[in-house]
Amino acid sequence: ILTSEVGAYSKSNDSTIFKSSLFYKKLTNKTLNIPNSKAISEIRTPSPHVIVGDETFGLCDNIMRPYCGKKLTHTKKIFNFRLSRARRYIECCFGIMINKWRIFHRPLNVNIDFTEDIIQAFCVLHNYVRL
C-alpha cells in the first residue's frame, strides 16, 4: 500500500477513501505494476492478482467483491462465502497487528498528520519485526 494513503477521517466510508486515493488511480490506470495473471496449478487457467473488497467497492479488473442480491445461484453463494472467509482472514491479520501494537486499542487523540506518521511507522516496524 502507498504510505501516503493511510490517513482518513472515520466518517468517510472505505470505498470513498479508496476511490480518492493514488493507489486506486494507479490501479485503474494499470500503472501499479501488479504482476500478470498466472495459473495457480497446472490444470487451472491463469488467475489475476486481486484486492479483496466488500459490496461497497465498485467493479474493477483487480478488485474482487461479492455478488449482490438475495436470489443467487448456488455457485455465487459459494463464491460469496469463500470471499467472505478471505476477508475475515485479512481482518484477523489486522487484529493480530493491532494487538501487537497496543497504541491502537484506543483512539489516537493527535493531529491527523501525526496519525499518518504513527500508522506509517507501525507498518515499517511490523514488517521489520516479521523479518
Side-chain angles (χ1 to χ4, degrees), residues 7-18 20:
Y9 292 101
S10 61
K11 65 183 176 188
S12 302
N13 71 34
D14 292 344
S15 180
T16 302
I17 295 166
F18 183 62
S20 65

Side-chain angles (χ1 to χ4, degrees), residues 21-70:
S21 71
L22 178 60
F23 184 86
Y24 178 77
K25 289 176 181 81
K26 287 187 171 216
L27 180 69
T28 55
N29 293 336
K30 304 210 182 293
T31 57
L32 197 56
N33 296 324
I34 293 177
N36 292 328
S37 300
K38 69 179 196 181
I40 297 172
S41 67
E42 292 179 17
I43 20 178
R44 304 256 180 190
T45 57
S47 299
H49 292 80
V50 296
I51 297 166
V52 177
D54 61 20
E55 43 291 321
T56 63
F57 287 81
L59 291 175
C60 184
D61 288 343
N62 292 98
I63 297 177
M64 191 173 286
R65 57 164 284 190
Y67 289 101
C68 55
K70 298 199 183 280

Side-chain angles (χ1 to χ4, degrees), residues 17-128:
I17 295 166
F18 183 62
K19 284 185 177 175
S20 65
S21 71
L22 178 60
F23 184 86
Y24 178 77
K25 289 176 181 81
K26 287 187 171 216
L27 180 69
T28 55
N29 293 336
K30 304 210 182 293
T31 57
L32 197 56
N33 296 324
I34 293 177
N36 292 328
S37 300
K38 69 179 196 181
I40 297 172
S41 67
E42 292 179 17
I43 20 178
R44 304 256 180 190
T45 57
S47 299
H49 292 80
V50 296
I51 297 166
V52 177
D54 61 20
E55 43 291 321
T56 63
F57 287 81
L59 291 175
C60 184
D61 288 343
N62 292 98
I63 297 177
M64 191 173 286
R65 57 164 284 190
Y67 289 101
C68 55
K70 298 199 183 280
K71 296 182 179 181
L72 300 176
T73 65
H74 181 69
T75 304
K76 288 180 179 180
K77 287 179 184 178
I78 290 172
F79 172 85
N80 282 357
F81 172 77
R82 290 180 178 165
L83 188 66
S84 173
R85 189 170 54 185
R87 284 188 58 242
R88 283 194 314 268
Y89 185 81
I90 294 164
E91 288 171 6
C92 284
C93 291
F94 277 106
I96 290 167
M97 290 189 303
I98 287 169
N99 281 326
K100 181 179 283 191
W101 307 99
R102 297 192 179 265
I103 188 172
F104 298 114
H105 277 251
R106 58 181 170 72
L108 300 175
N109 294 321
V110 295
N111 183 301
I112 190 74
D113 294 331
F114 188 50
T115 302
E116 291 177 17
D117 293 340
I118 291 170
I119 294 171
Q120 289 174 4
F122 155 73
C123 293
V124 171
L125 286 171
H126 174 76
N127 290 335
Y128 178 75

